[in-house]
Amino acid sequence: MEEVTSSKIDFLASASQDKSTNINFTVLCHNVCLQFLEKPFAFGRKHVWRNSLLHLSRWLVGVDNGGDLLDFEMADIKFDNVAIVNNFTTNINKAYNFNSTDQDEAKQDGCIVPQIYTLMWQSNRRGLSKVVYTNQQIPDENKLFPNADFGFNKRKLLVNTLPFSPFVQFSNETGQYTGITIEILNQLSYELNFTYEIQAPPDGKWGVEKYNGTWNGMEVDIVAASLTVHSDRETVMDFTYPYFYEFSSIIFKKSNPENSKWTRLLDPLSPTVLILIGVCLPFASFILCLLENTNPFYNKRQGERGLHNMSDSFWYMYGALLTQGGEHMAASSSGRTLLSCWWIFCIIMAATYSGNFVAFLTIRKHNHPFDDIKSLIAQDEYKWGLTGDSIYESIFKDSNLPDRKLFWNGILTFNETDPSVLNSATKPHLEKVLAEKYAFIGDHTGTAKLGNNCEITLLPTDIMSTYAIGLPNNSPFVTKFSNGIMTVLESGHISKWKTKFWPYSSHCVEQSKTEAKTIHIIDIQIAFYLIGIGILLSLMCLICEYVTRKCRQLLEKKGIVIHPDSPVRHIGTISITDHTINDYSIDQCNAQSLEKRSPK
């Protein structure tokens, strides 16, 4: 017994390649054995493998005095798996059959048949249970140590966690923890048969490496929280199989909606589409005019109005774009083919614009000041931060990527005048987001639940958060807990708990409303601008037409103007004076006079 010391156990641990295997001890002793089992070597939580021997070790204890059995039953033995061989004698020179038929023969020879008992867990104490074996067969391990089939045998494990909704929530009224992670812990405790006690970390930190190489945060049997798996953390702890995956987000306040933007009527179509429509209109008009002029279907149409005139062709195509059309219509097959395709194009454009325009009027549009980490550090309007003493501090502090280095350097600069940019709690960051131009990086799910505010925007980043249960470093129970988590995932319990603790599809409740938005004059102000622009353009056209008319009249007086409606050139005027014209109109007189003067 003196050899079973802490240093001896550490030597066994270093020699063992698989620390999840059992170690068997066979002990022949009296009272000193019981004292050792009650108070064994130092097996505190800091010595993970020593502590695991309370569950993994197997003790076969031999005693000669039957009175010691009661002492074993009443003792507070720390180990789970203990079997006791009573009346164990070392001077038996021959083997006996230990079944019921041979016990009388053994007693007649002066020998007492050894009886084997195992310590079984009961409601509040350990109790002896007799091991039945016959036919010269030594009992197998399952009979000697049946407690091994009951997991951790209701052993109380110390658990640390930190509230982070919806995974871990704490009620001040009941003093109880709830959430998705707590439900997983409850399921594991049921399957592995252990109890637990939850304690908050004394420093309230998630756990991050300090500059002196030490770590803050949690030092317990289990860490049941929304704990992100990271390579740095794996140097000081072990992680089970993950139970949740998600990307982190940049959290900031939405900018003011663009209600006052005068170009709202142009927003449904991109500038490129508007430019192409503006190019297609004169080009299609020119092609239509060219087809109508060169098509042999028509006879000569001098002096007539129609689509063979560029102005008429343009206004017809423009009217079709407004789903109105024009006065003239193409009669040729080529012209009608072109117009039919143009009308289909106009219908598609009008339908697309109308549908998008309704959406742009009823839904507020927000322009983000940045779209990712790179654009965040490139601007100088917003400050930024992150949840201090968390995995994000390790990610950015130790990263070699240029953008993440610049991000961390900016945080250090802001921290000189504003230490809140590295606050370890999420709520102060959210309050800072709502109060000023500030952004921070955090977990998408938990931040969305805490900040259930439609003024907050979440932009996904390329940083993946993987949540898992944490165990002490080099723990032999990682496989057991990982198998338990995979069983939970395969059973579909996670989806049920999400519905219970996270019963919403978006962090903003107002986004799911379908109420119509009142249209104000500021939303359609460009329509009134167009009326003013149209009036100005019409006045300019009126002035141009007036000037053109005056110029034409001036030139007509000089006899050098060709009338636009007649191919005949006027070389002079006929003045009729002192004559009375009866029964004839002026046009008839002119026609007759011209007929008389015309040569036969």
Side-chain angles (χ1 to χ4, degrees):
M1 298 303 299
E2 295 175 354
E3 295 180 359
V4 187
T5 60
S6 299
S7 59
K8 180 67 173 180
I9 294 298
D10 294 339
F11 173 77
L12 293 174
S14 61
S16 175
Q17 296 181 355
D18 184 6
K19 295 181 174 55
S20 62
T21 58
N22 302 329
I23 292 184
N24 300 320
F25 295 89
T26 302
V27 182
L28 307 179
C29 64
H30 293 282
N31 294 331
V32 65
C33 179
L34 180 59
Q35 296 174 5
F36 179 83
L37 294 175
E38 285 186 310
K39 190 176 181 181
F41 47 79
F43 61 93
R45 287 188 171 90
K46 292 184 178 180
H47 306 289
V48 178
W49 196 69
R50 295 185 201 168
N51 189 36
S52 68
L53 290 180
L54 296 178
H55 173 71
L56 294 177
S57 64
R58 306 289 186 264
W59 295 82
L60 184 62
V61 181
V63 296
D64 283 332
N65 186 3
D68 292 340
L69 291 176
L70 183 60
D71 296 334
F72 274 91
E73 189 172 21
M74 301 301 297
D76 183 18
I77 296 179
K78 305 297 182 182
F79 296 93
D80 289 341
N81 302 291
V82 178
I84 304 170
V85 183
N86 188 26
N87 297 326
F88 189 93
T89 57
T90 58
N91 57 355
I92 298 180
N93 294 323
K94 67 175 182 176
Y96 292 93
N97 295 330
F98 294 151
N99 52 36
S100 57
T101 59
D102 296 325
Q103 288 183 5
D104 296 335
E105 179 182 353
K107 291 180 180 180
Q108 293 176 0
D109 292 341
C111 297
I112 301 177
V113 178
Q115 298 294 324
I116 302 179
Y117 298 88
T118 184
L119 277 175
M120 290 289 293
W121 290 98
Q122 298 179 359
S123 58
N124 54 3
R125 65 181 183 87
R126 305 289 289 274
L128 290 176
S129 177
K130 187 176 181 180
V131 178
V132 179
Y133 57 98
T134 58
N135 299 327
Q136 293 183 317
Q137 294 182 356
I138 299 177
D140 58 16
E141 186 175 353
N142 292 333
K143 289 186 176 181
L144 287 175
F145 308 110
N147 288 326
D149 295 333
F150 301 108
F152 288 93
N153 293 281
K154 297 297 181 180
R155 186 179 302 281
K156 180 180 287 187
L157 303 180
L158 185 59
V159 178
N160 264 187
T161 189
L162 281 174
F164 193 71
S165 181
F167 297 97
V168 179
Q169 302 171 148
F170 180 74
S171 173
N172 293 323
E173 297 179 357
T174 62
Q176 300 294 323
Y177 286 91
T178 58
I180 298 175
T181 305
I182 302 301
E183 292 293 338
I184 294 176
L185 179 63
N186 291 334
Q187 191 69 21
L188 291 175
S189 67
Y190 173 77
E191 293 180 358
L192 300 179
N193 195 26
F194 66 85
T195 61
Y196 63 87
E197 177 185 354
I198 296 181
Q199 294 182 359
D203 55 4
K205 308 296 184 182
W206 289 95
V208 68
E209 186 177 8
K210 294 301 182 181
Y211 292 100
N212 58 3
T214 61
W215 285 73
N216 60 14
M218 312 174 184
E219 187 175 292
V220 286
D221 297 318
I222 302 174
V223 178
S226 53
L227 194 64
T228 303
V229 179
H230 191 260
S231 57
D232 289 344
R233 285 178 172 173
E234 287 185 337
T235 61
V236 293
M237 65 183 300
D238 288 338
F239 289 97
T240 64
Y241 187 84
Y243 63 86
F244 191 80
Y245 300 86
E246 73 167 357
F247 284 98
S248 61
S249 298
I250 303 176
I251 299 97
F252 61 96
K253 185 179 179 180
K254 290 181 181 178
S255 58
N256 293 326
E258 300 174 349
N259 284 337
S260 60
K261 190 174 180 181
W262 67 271
T263 60
R264 184 166 292 276
L265 285 179
L266 304 178
D267 289 339
L269 299 178
S270 68
T272 304
V273 175
L274 294 174
I275 292 173
L276 290 177
I277 292 176
V279 172
C280 290
L281 177 60
F283 180 75
S285 302
F286 174 76
I287 297 297
L288 178 62
C289 178
L290 184 63
L291 292 175
E292 291 292 291
N293 272 303
T294 59
N295 198 314
F297 175 81
Y298 301 103
N299 295 324
K300 293 183 178 180
R301 297 177 297 181
Q302 295 180 350
E304 297 180 6
R305 302 298 299 272
L307 298 179
H308 59 281
N309 293 324
M310 184 62 190
S311 61
D312 290 338
S313 176
F314 176 83
W315 288 112
Y316 181 89
M317 302 295 264
Y318 178 72
L321 194 61
L322 301 179
T323 66
Q324 293 298 322
E327 177 183 357
H328 305 286
M329 182 63 189
S332 64
S333 297
S334 59
R336 291 185 175 185
T337 301
L338 176 62
L339 287 180
S340 63
C341 295
W342 177 256
W343 270 101
I344 293 175
F345 168 79
C346 295
I347 291 172
I348 294 175
M349 289 296 103
T352 303
Y353 176 84
S354 301
N356 282 352
F357 181 58
V358 172
F360 271 80
L361 288 179
T362 54
I363 298 176
R364 293 184 177 183
K365 183 180 179 181
H366 300 267
N367 280 337
H368 299 322
F370 43 81
D371 297 320
D372 50 22
I373 295 177
K374 184 176 181 179
S375 58
L376 173 60
I377 60 180
Q379 54 82 44
D380 54 2
E381 186 178 5
Y382 280 72
K383 293 195 302 182
W384 60 83
L386 52 77
T387 308
D389 294 317
S390 67
I391 194 61
Y392 297 111
E393 182 175 333
S394 300
I395 291 175
F396 285 95
K397 182 173 61 176
D398 302 331
S399 177
N400 293 322
L401 298 177
D403 293 341
R404 295 186 182 182
K405 279 186 175 181
L406 292 174
F407 185 90
W408 178 249
N409 292 334
I411 290 179
L412 295 180
T413 302
F414 299 143
N415 188 54
E416 294 177 357
T417 57
D418 186 7
S420 62
V421 298
L422 281 175
N423 197 304
S424 59
T426 303
K427 190 174 182 179
H429 287 281
L430 291 172
E431 294 174 351
K432 193 175 180 66
V433 164
L434 296 174
E436 57 186 277
K437 291 187 175 181
Y438 174 76
F440 77 101
I441 290 184
D443 290 345
H444 180 94
T445 303
T447 305
K449 187 69 183 292
L450 287 175
N452 193 8
N453 192 314
C454 292
E455 297 184 43
I456 293 177
T457 297
L458 305 175
L459 287 180
T461 68
D462 58 348
I463 302 175
M464 172 69 80
S465 296
T466 305
Y467 297 162
I469 299 295
L471 297 173
N473 202 25
N474 298 321
S475 173
F477 303 122
V478 174
T479 302
K480 284 188 175 183
F481 279 86
S482 295
N483 292 337
I485 289 178
M486 284 190 284
T487 302
V488 172
L489 294 175
E490 292 171 357
S491 63
H493 289 312
I494 295 290
S495 300
K496 179 182 67 175
W497 297 329
K498 280 184 179 180
T499 305
K500 179 180 180 181
F501 298 104
W502 194 11
Y504 56 90
S505 58
S506 173
H507 76 283
C508 179
V509 179
E510 292 183 4
Q511 289 181 352
S512 60
K513 295 182 179 180
T514 57
E515 298 178 358
K517 174 178 173 288
T518 303
I519 305 301
H520 300 282
I521 189 173
I522 199 170
D523 296 322
I524 53 175
Q525 53 185 317
I526 191 174
F528 296 94
Y529 296 159
L530 290 175
I531 294 176
I533 293 173
I535 293 173
L536 291 177
L537 291 177
S538 62
L539 291 176
M540 293 174 61
C541 292
L542 178 62
I543 294 172
C544 291
E545 290 174 348
Y546 182 78
V547 172
T548 302
R549 180 69 175 172
K550 286 294 183 184
C551 293
R552 181 179 296 170
Q553 289 176 354
L554 216 62
L555 294 174
E556 284 179 352
K557 287 181 180 181
K558 296 180 180 181
I560 59 174
V561 177
I562 299 177
H563 197 279
D565 296 332
S566 175
V568 181
R569 184 184 181 204
H570 293 260
I571 58 176
T573 58
I574 300 176
S575 176
I576 302 176
T577 59
D578 300 328
H579 292 281
T580 302
I581 301 175
N582 296 320
D583 301 324
Y584 293 96
S585 65
I586 294 177
D587 292 336
Q588 290 173 333
C589 291
N590 289 336
Q592 292 176 2
S593 62
L594 288 174
E595 184 178 355
K596 290 178 181 180
R597 295 178 60 182
S598 299
K600 296 295 183 179

